[in-house]
Amino acid sequence: MTDLDEDKPKDGYQREDWQEYYDQDDLRWDLGEVSPPLKRLWQEGVLGAGRMIIPGCGQGHEVLFFAEQGFEVTGVDYTDGGVGLLRNNLQKAGLKAQVVQSDFFELDDSHHGHYDLLLEQTFFCAIHPRDRTRYVDMARWLLKPGGLLAGLFYHTGEDDGPPYNTTQEDIQKNFSAGFEIVRLEKCDHSIEKRKDKEWLVVLCARSA
Ligand SMILES: C[S@@+](CC[C@H](N)C(=O)[O-])C[C@H]1O[C@@H](n2cnc3c(N)ncnc32)[C@H](O)[C@@H]1O
């Protein structure tokens, strides 16, 4: 994702701000395909199988890819633009997934302890850093004990956002209490424009 507009509110984006990008057909964060390191994690057998939730999934390249591999996928996004594109893409591909239009932080009780895996792809960097603790709590609440949080965290090196910078220490500080850190390394096969800027992360939810 390249930096989003500078005249946007400095204290984080609201639903309307994201929707504006969809209205303008300006999906500058969108890779146009499943993120290659996530595909590789699956090829390496790291992600197992079962129920997967993808927060802030946008038009959902990851939703489609993992649905095709047999995961029971739930894609969450709160914009009309994101879920509209995702529904269309699923229909065109003849694939099934649960599409939930909701604020990730307000998912209802039916999602509690329901997932084997939460997949992170440019959502943690899209939320304001003040919401990181809520993200961690929500991830714990969604996952079964022993469930995995796996994905990519964006080390932009910039002060502002979105996308907001994530350092190695940010990951350790936020996740260590609730998760065992199984893997935390600079991704060595990011796409060119994110080269050296992604943390490849696999975390395992601790039992309460
Ligand atoms: C940077 S985009 C990434 C989209 C997708 N993951 C991708 O990589 O193509 C962030 C997405 O998160 C969604 N989003 C941001 N905050 C959200 C929230 N609190 N609840 C649900 N969706 C949210 C936005 O609507 C947007 O589609």
Side-chain angles (χ1 to χ4, degrees):
M1 189 180 356
T2 52
D3 280 348
L4 298 173
D5 292 346
E6 280 175 7
D7 59 353
K8 289 290 177 186
K10 288 292 178 204
D11 64 342
Y13 275 18
Q14 308 300 316
R15 186 189 304 238
E16 312 75 70
D17 301 310
W18 291 108
Q19 181 56 41
E20 242 181 85
Y21 285 92
Y22 287 102
D23 290 342
Q24 291 164 13
D25 198 17
D26 176 5
L27 307 188
R28 58 185 73 183
W29 56 79
D30 189 298
L31 301 184
E33 60 174 338
V34 59
S35 181
L38 300 181
K39 185 173 177 179
R40 186 173 314 177
L41 270 186
W42 172 74
Q43 287 166 334
E44 288 169 353
V46 175
L47 303 181
R51 292 192 191 131
M52 172 188 286
I53 185 162
I54 309 182
C57 63
Q59 73 164 310
H61 301 295
E62 283 72 28
V63 175
L64 267 78
F65 177 79
F66 287 103
E68 199 167 11
Q69 312 316 320
F71 284 85
E72 212 180 297
V73 186
T74 298
V76 181
D77 204 288
Y78 62 8
T79 56
D80 291 341
V83 296
L85 288 170
L86 173 56
R87 288 197 175 109
N88 241 341
N89 291 341
L90 284 164
Q91 195 184 16
K92 273 195 270 171
L95 290 167
K96 291 222 178 311
Q98 190 187 12
V99 181
V100 178
Q101 183 168 10
S102 165
D103 188 323
F104 174 66
F105 300 108
E106 291 171 9
L107 288 170
D108 68 35
D109 284 351
S110 66
H111 298 273
H112 184 206
H114 190 67
Y115 297 97
D116 301 289
L117 188 68
L118 183 149
L119 195 76
E120 171 52 46
Q121 166 68 6
T122 53
F123 178 62
F124 191 78
C125 68
I127 59 170
H128 193 277
R130 71 170 164 258
D131 288 328
R132 287 180 175 180
T133 308
R134 292 172 77 203
Y135 176 107
V136 176
D137 292 347
M138 198 62 195
R140 279 294 300 288
W141 186 80
L142 291 165
L143 288 168
K144 301 173 184 172
L148 295 183
L149 192 167
L152 296 164
F153 287 74
Y154 204 3
H155 192 176
T156 66
E158 304 288 332
D159 290 335
D160 283 331
Y164 293 101
N165 189 36
T166 306
T167 64
Q168 187 167 22
E169 294 70 35
D170 288 332
I171 296 166
Q172 287 161 336
K173 186 175 67 150
N174 281 287
F175 290 99
S176 294
F179 291 85
E180 182 197 338
I181 298 181
V182 179
R183 224 163 135 176
L184 168 51
E185 64 205 29
K186 263 288 160 72
C187 183
D188 63 6
H189 49 286
S190 296
I191 59 156
E192 193 53 35
K193 64 181 175 185
R194 295 190 188 159
K195 198 167 179 306
D196 297 325
K197 290 185 169 180
E198 290 183 313
W199 297 108
L200 183 65
V201 173
V202 179
L203 308 168
C204 180
R206 297 184 196 281
S207 307

